[in-house]
Amino acid sequence: MHTAYVIVTLLAALMAGFSGTVLLLRAEWIVKALTDYAVPRAWWTPLGLAKAAGAVGLVVGLFVPVIGVLAGAGLVLYYLGAAVTVARARWYAHIPFPLVYAAPVVGALVLGHAG
């Protein structure tokens, strides 16, 4: 179980880190999406930093479990908020995207408490 927990946690951290990085670097495809969803430009950097911090927190959580739980909870809330934002923008076909990013975080939280 411990190996699965480490692998899923690292996958979740990589995905959150990637997501935060492309937002901070203003990748064209993410800028278009955030514009389409009417996310204010002033929020983009804090949102990218939140995802990056969550990724770091997941990795730190492998050594300090409470940090991982807090980071995981924060990321789950972040991605649920993203799904709500997408739904409010009426881009219903895009709702699965934040949920795909949330899934390994939920998996890491579950596996971390199963062992």
Side-chain angles (χ1 to χ4, degrees):
M1 186 67 82
H2 182 71
T3 302
Y5 164 65
V6 171
I7 290 170
V8 172
T9 299
L10 292 176
L11 174 64
L14 285 171
M15 290 174 68
F18 168 78
S19 184
T21 300
V22 296
L23 180 49
L24 291 169
L25 294 176
R26 304 293 193 261
E28 182 179 328
W29 59 273
I30 197 72
V31 166
K32 180 177 179 349
L34 291 175
T35 302
D36 290 344
Y37 306 150
V39 176
R41 185 176 296 268
W43 294 10
W44 296 0
T45 297
L47 292 173
L49 291 172
K51 289 191 270 190
V56 170
L58 287 174
V59 174
V60 170
L62 293 171
F63 307 97
V64 184
V66 69
I67 300 296
V69 171
L70 293 171
L75 283 169
V76 168
L77 291 173
Y78 179 99
Y79 292 127
L80 289 176
V84 169
T85 298
V86 172
R88 289 185 63 179
R90 301 182 187 266
W91 284 79
Y92 303 116
H94 292 194
I95 292 172
F97 296 123
L99 301 179
V100 166
Y101 280 88
V105 178
V106 171
L109 288 169
V110 169
L111 290 170
H113 284 82

